[in-house]
């Protein structure tokens, strides 16, 4: 049936009211089954426009003074009430029909594989599985620090990790608004909202709009994997589970802020045309979701501090730092200030947690209690762990330089206290607080290693242990451009001097006694030089040398110097002392032994035999190889 024109033929307000009332009542779902089953905004556009015009006319009459008859005024207000109830239903239905289901990947700004630092970055790829004898020590050490690790020291993994980490966390993507509802629906929603607010039904309008959009927001959060977890819930999770959740949270948070919140704000702007109502509605929709979003990093910021958490804390800190400029643009009103303040405070707490965790890491190195010597004097797991940790710290240099503002509280003066590590920083003026913390960490590591070296019964092996571990420290610093820039060449030269001095002390502890058996003193008796050699003393000398060299070979072929170049340099150095001395001694006195009885018992090894035997040293054999002798 064709609807009549709203204006009465005589142009009277009463006739207009009558005509408008008929249009509005025709869509009253409380009295019409047809109205209950159909929607105005799913009809043809002429009917939509006719209904909205009817609402406008009645509202105009209610707002004007032209209706002096109280009966007609009551009728007009009743008609408006019916229209508002209908528009409320229409608003709800349009919003529900426009609630989209998004694929999570379409919302994520960075769907590439995450490359944040994890405990996997601290896993050892060089060291074979520990022998059964090492199990007790390893378990004891793991009570304080997770197992240490190593990457190939010949490359610079730090630089590649650093660039990839920055590209993942410091995303160049910014706000990316999407259409949450169609443009046609936006127009319809605007027309409804405008009339409901104009008629004094803003509370009902905001309630319907807010409830539907809030529910849509919660659905999107679930799709992005953001579930309701209290602070206690997060803190009860195993850290390995939390690590995974942090990576997911960072990606989801970018989508929530830069896509979901931004798009929701734009939709509010399109429908409500600014003002207090718009801000109130936007906050009603996003506040609980925003609080839910930031509960997770807040829980991490106040959780128990332990060294393995540092890099995930920094990831969260950097992610928030990256998002805050966008949040300032989105939450830029007085009513939304609380969300921005909360995010800023959480970032500050994460920064404090990072500082505290770094101190805890330093203390954990000092307290690391393992006392069972690692077999063969090789690199201790603690050394691998600490240096890989420092390499990761170097990856986060850009952030940590800003966060670490104070020097280490201990170790700033040389106290010469044998039970405490100390560090003289008088020669390290100009170093950043971060550099001093890294150097202090290595000082405590060396102090700990010195204590562990005392558990070796063989003094020479204790020097090999120190040499291996400090050399490893040097190589790890050199292999990372970022770490080397932090530490500086001055301290690197000091470390180099330490491991070279340990190598020298090893040679003295092992070879002085061996080489003493090749001296001339005590071999001569009175008379001419050629005939004044005591054959019995000479036989004892050869016998003593053979015994000592065999013992050194048997023991030190089971010792380990993992670095190929260092192992070769050490062999060359000891050969330069041993081989010429033995060749000279053998050349001078061989004839005296050969002319006696059973020379093979004393002249057991040729110079070539010794040169070959030296190649067995520091190979880490489980059982010493057979020592070849002269035929």
């Amino acid at each position: 049936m064709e609807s009549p024109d709203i204006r009465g033929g005589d142009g009277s307000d009463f006739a207009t009211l009558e005509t408008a009332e008929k249009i509005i009542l025709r869509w009253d779902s409380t009295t019409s089954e047809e109205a209950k089953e159909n929607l105005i905004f799913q009809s043809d556009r002429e009917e939509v426009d006719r209904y909205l015009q009817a609402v406008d006319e009645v509202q105009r009459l209610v707002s004007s003074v032209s209706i002096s008859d109280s009966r007609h005024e009551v009728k007009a207000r009743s008609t408006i009430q019916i229209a508002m109830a209908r528009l409320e239903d229409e608003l709800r239905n349009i919003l529900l029909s426009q609630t989209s289901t998004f694929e999570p990947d379409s919302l994520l700004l960075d769907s590439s594989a995450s490359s944040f630092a994890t405990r996997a970055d601290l896993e050892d790829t060089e060291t074979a599985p520990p022998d059964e004898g090492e199990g007790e020590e390893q378990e004891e050490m793991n009570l304080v620090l997770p197992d240490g690790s190593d990457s190939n020291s010949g490359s610079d993994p730090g630089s590649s990790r650093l660039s990839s980490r920055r590209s993942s966390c410091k995303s160049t993507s910014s706000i990316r608004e999407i259409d949450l509802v169609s443009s046609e629906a936006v127009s319809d929603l605007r027309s409804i909202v405008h009339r409901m607010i104009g008629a004094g039904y803003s509370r009902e309008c905001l309630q319907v709009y807010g409830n539907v959009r809030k529910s849509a927001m919660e659905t999107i959060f679930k799709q992005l994997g953001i579930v309701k977890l209290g602070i206690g819930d997060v803190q009860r999770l195993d850290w390995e589970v939390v690590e995974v959740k942090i990576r997911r949270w960072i990606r989801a948070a970018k989508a929530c802020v830069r896509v979901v919140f931004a798009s929701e704000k734009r939709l509010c702007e399109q429908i409500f045309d600014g003002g207090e109502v718009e801000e109130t509605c936007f906050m009603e929709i996003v506040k609980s979701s925003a609080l839910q979003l930031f509960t997770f990093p807040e829980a991490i910021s106040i959780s128990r501090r332990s060294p393995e958490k540092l890099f995930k804390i920094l990831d969260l800190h950097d992610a928030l730092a990256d998002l805050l400029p966008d949040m300032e643009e989105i939450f830029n009103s007085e009513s939304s200030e609380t969300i921005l303040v909360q995010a800023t405070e959480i970032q500050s707490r994460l920064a404090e947690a990072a500082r505290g965790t770094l101190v805890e890491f330093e203390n954990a190195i000092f307290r690391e209690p393992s006392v069972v010597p690692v077999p063969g004097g090789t690199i201790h797991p603690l050394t691998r762990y600490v240096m890989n940790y420092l390499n990761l710290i170097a990856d986060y240099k850009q952030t940590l330089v800003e966060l670490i503002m104070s020097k280490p509280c201990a170790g700033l003066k040389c106290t010469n206290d044998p039970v405490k590590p100390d560090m003289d920083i008088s020669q390290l003026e100009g170093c950043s607080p971060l550099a001093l913390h890294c150097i202090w960490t290595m000082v405590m590591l060396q102090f700990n290693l010195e204590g562990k070296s005392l558990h070796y019964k063989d003094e020479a092996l204790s020097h090999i242990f120190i040499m291996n571990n400090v050399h490893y420290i040097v190589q790890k610093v050199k292999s990372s451009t970022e770490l080397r820039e932090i530490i500086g060449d001055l301290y690197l030269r000091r470390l180099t001097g330490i491991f070279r001095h340990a190598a020298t002390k090893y040679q003295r502890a092992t070879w002085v006694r061996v080489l003493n058996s090749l001296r001339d003193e005590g071999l001569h008796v009175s008379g001419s030089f050629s005939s004044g050699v005591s054959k019995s003393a000479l036989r004892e000398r050869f016998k003593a040398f053979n015994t000592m060299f065999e013992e050194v070979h048997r023991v030190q072929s089971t010792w380990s110097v993992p670095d190929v170049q260092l192992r070769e340099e050490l062999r060359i150095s000891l050969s330069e002392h041993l081989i010429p001395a033995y060749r000279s001694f053998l050349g001078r006195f061989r004839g005296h032994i050969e002319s006696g009885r059973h020379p093979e018992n004393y002249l057991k090894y040729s110079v070539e035999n010794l040169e070959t035997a030296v190649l067995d040293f520091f190979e880490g054999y489980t059982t010493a190889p057979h020592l070849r002798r002269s035929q």
Side-chain angles (χ1 to χ4, degrees):
M1 183 178 68
E2 186 177 334
S3 298
D5 289 337
I6 293 179
R7 291 279 183 179
D10 57 0
S12 70
D13 289 336
F14 296 116
T16 299
L17 176 60
E18 289 289 339
T19 305
E21 182 187 30
K22 289 180 181 179
I23 296 173
I24 291 172
L25 291 178
R26 197 157 54 84
W27 286 98
D28 183 3
S29 59
T30 64
T31 60
S32 168
E33 285 299 322
E34 183 181 357
K36 188 182 295 185
E37 295 173 359
N38 295 288
L39 295 169
I40 299 173
F41 283 83
Q42 290 180 357
S43 305
D44 61 82
R45 296 310 302 180
E46 288 184 5
E47 183 64 23
V48 172
D49 294 339
R50 194 178 294 115
Y51 188 89
L52 293 177
Q53 187 180 359
V55 173
D56 291 341
E57 288 299 333
V58 177
Q59 178 59 26
R60 180 183 64 80
L61 293 172
V62 170
S63 302
S64 69
V65 295
S66 59
I67 300 181
S68 57
D69 187 292
S70 60
R71 183 172 59 85
H72 286 89
E73 182 180 357
V74 170
K75 185 177 183 179
R77 292 189 182 281
S78 175
T79 302
I80 277 293
Q81 189 173 1
I82 293 169
M84 291 301 108
R86 181 69 204 199
L87 288 180
E88 184 178 324
D89 289 340
E90 295 287 334
L91 176 65
R92 182 182 294 106
N93 279 285
I94 293 173
L95 287 169
L96 289 173
S97 67
Q98 290 288 315
T99 300
S100 302
T101 301
F102 297 98
E103 289 296 327
D105 285 347
S106 70
L107 297 177
L108 295 174
L109 297 170
D110 178 14
S111 58
S112 61
S114 176
S115 55
F116 299 112
T118 67
R119 289 180 68 168
D121 291 305
L122 300 176
E123 291 177 358
D124 186 16
T125 57
E126 285 184 1
T127 309
D131 296 333
E132 291 183 4
E134 297 179 55
E136 181 180 349
E137 174 207 0
Q138 191 64 32
E139 181 179 357
E140 183 179 11
M141 192 185 75
N142 282 343
L143 296 176
V144 181
L145 290 172
D147 186 17
S149 78
D150 184 32
S151 56
N152 294 329
S153 59
S155 61
D156 186 359
S159 297
S160 60
R161 271 202 310 270
L162 179 65
S163 59
S164 61
R165 187 187 72 83
R166 286 177 180 164
S167 67
S168 294
C169 192
K170 298 290 186 180
S171 173
T172 57
S173 302
S174 191
I175 291 175
R176 179 167 65 85
E177 296 167 341
I178 61 176
D179 292 328
L180 297 176
V181 302
S182 67
S183 58
E184 182 181 350
V186 168
S187 178
D188 290 341
L189 291 169
R190 280 172 56 89
S191 65
I192 296 173
V193 166
H194 172 73
R195 286 163 177 83
M196 291 187 70
I197 293 175
Y201 284 75
S202 59
R203 182 176 65 83
E204 291 82 355
C205 175
L206 293 181
Q207 185 176 14
V208 171
Y209 185 92
N211 286 343
V212 175
R213 290 307 309 160
K214 187 176 180 180
S215 177
M217 177 79 65
E218 291 171 353
T219 300
I220 293 174
F221 266 50
K222 288 179 182 178
Q223 290 175 311
L224 290 171
I226 300 175
V227 296
K228 291 183 179 180
L229 284 176
I231 290 176
D233 298 326
V234 175
Q235 294 180 341
R236 282 190 291 270
L237 294 173
D238 290 337
W239 181 246
E240 290 80 1
V241 175
V242 174
E243 283 186 328
V244 175
K245 288 186 176 294
I246 288 175
R247 288 197 297 274
R248 292 175 179 170
W249 184 91
I250 290 172
R251 294 178 65 207
K254 291 178 183 179
C256 289
V257 172
R258 291 172 171 165
V259 181
V260 180
F261 290 163
S263 299
E264 197 67 54
K265 183 179 178 67
R266 186 183 71 158
L267 183 60
C268 284
E269 292 170 348
Q270 291 172 329
I271 293 173
F272 292 96
D273 289 331
E276 184 179 345
V277 174
E278 175 197 307
E279 286 300 331
T280 301
C281 188
F282 175 62
M283 280 302 296
E284 176 65 24
I285 295 168
V286 304
K287 186 174 182 179
S288 62
S289 294
L291 293 175
Q292 177 185 337
L293 178 66
F294 293 113
T295 295
F296 181 75
E298 182 180 12
I300 302 300
S301 72
I302 60 177
S303 63
R304 184 181 65 84
R305 295 170 183 173
S306 57
E308 72 272 13
K309 296 182 180 180
L310 175 61
F311 305 109
K312 285 300 171 200
I313 291 173
L314 292 174
D315 286 341
L316 284 172
H317 174 276
D318 284 357
L320 278 175
D322 198 25
L323 287 173
L324 277 173
D326 298 320
M327 293 184 64
E328 290 171 358
E329 184 174 340
I330 296 168
F331 301 102
N332 58 357
S333 68
E334 185 175 344
S335 62
S336 61
E337 185 180 8
T338 54
I339 294 177
L340 192 60
V341 168
Q342 182 194 27
T344 304
E345 289 178 348
I346 291 172
Q347 187 200 21
S348 297
R349 286 199 289 269
L350 287 168
E352 183 58 36
R355 287 188 283 266
T357 302
L358 182 59
V359 173
E360 179 60 30
F361 168 64
E362 296 166 352
N363 293 336
I365 297 169
F366 180 69
R367 296 192 304 262
E368 199 282 311
S370 59
V371 296
V372 178
V374 291
T378 191
I379 299 161
H380 198 281
L382 176 65
T383 307
R384 295 183 185 276
Y385 176 81
V386 170
M387 293 313 300
N388 282 287
Y389 200 99
L390 289 177
N391 265 295
L392 287 172
I393 284 178
D395 287 357
Y396 288 78
K397 173 185 175 183
Q398 184 175 335
T399 299
L400 285 170
V401 164
E402 298 173 359
L403 298 187
I404 306 302
M405 296 171 287
S406 60
K407 299 175 182 178
C409 59
L412 299 184
K413 295 184 292 185
C414 278
T415 61
N416 294 318
D417 186 340
V419 299
K420 293 182 180 179
D422 55 25
M423 175 175 71
D424 184 1
I425 65 168
S426 61
Q427 296 182 339
L428 299 174
E429 294 297 331
C431 288
S432 68
L434 175 62
L436 292 176
H437 273 275
C438 290
I439 292 172
W440 176 235
T441 297
M442 289 190 286
V443 168
M444 284 193 292
L445 174 60
Q446 292 174 58
F447 183 83
N448 193 310
L449 293 172
E450 289 286 351
K452 295 182 189 308
S453 72
L454 300 178
H455 296 287
Y456 287 101
K457 296 179 180 179
D458 191 319
E459 179 191 355
L461 182 54
S462 71
H463 299 316
I464 289 291
F465 174 75
I466 294 297
M467 178 198 72
N468 274 331
N469 282 268
V470 178
H471 178 268
Y472 180 85
I473 294 171
V474 170
Q475 292 306 109
K476 292 295 285 186
V477 173
K478 287 182 176 180
S479 70
S480 168
T481 303
E482 293 283 341
L483 185 57
R484 185 166 187 168
E485 287 178 359
I486 293 173
I487 298 302
D489 287 340
L490 177 64
Y491 191 72
L492 195 59
R493 286 195 294 271
R494 188 179 302 178
L495 289 172
T496 302
I498 291 173
F499 86 74
R500 294 197 181 281
H501 183 59
T504 300
K505 291 171 75 174
Y506 150 75
Q507 293 197 44
R508 289 173 180 167
T510 296
W511 296 104
V512 167
R513 192 164 60 92
V514 176
L515 293 175
N516 278 343
S517 66
L518 301 178
R519 294 186 303 167
D520 289 359
E521 287 83 346
L523 294 179
H524 299 286
V525 294
S526 57
S528 67
F529 178 82
S530 59
S531 60
V533 175
S534 169
K535 291 187 178 182
S536 61
L538 188 59
R539 284 193 293 268
E540 286 302 315
R541 285 291 183 86
F542 272 106
K543 184 177 179 180
F545 173 82
N546 293 336
T547 300
M548 285 189 288
F549 184 78
E550 288 165 359
E551 178 62 15
V552 170
H553 176 270
R554 183 187 67 81
V555 172
Q556 297 194 10
S557 60
T558 65
W559 294 0
S560 177
V561 177
D563 185 86
V564 175
Q565 182 177 346
L566 179 62
R567 183 167 66 240
E568 186 61 26
E569 288 177 358
L570 195 59
R571 288 170 179 169
I572 290 172
S573 178
L574 70 88
S575 293
E576 286 175 347
H577 293 85
L578 173 66
I579 301 303
Y582 185 71
R583 179 183 289 112
S584 175
F585 191 82
L586 188 64
R588 292 198 308 275
F589 300 112
R590 182 175 201 155
H592 295 283
I593 299 297
E594 289 178 334
S595 62
R597 298 176 60 186
H598 305 296
E600 68 279 2
N601 291 338
Y602 308 101
L603 302 177
K604 296 173 67 173
Y605 304 109
S606 66
V607 172
E608 291 75 17
N609 292 148
L610 295 191
E611 290 173 337
T612 301
V614 167
L615 299 179
D616 295 330
F617 284 28
F618 319 120
E619 285 290 343
Y621 291 121
T622 304
T623 303
H626 178 69
L627 186 58
R628 296 184 61 184
R629 54 182 294 177
S630 299
Q631 299 297 323

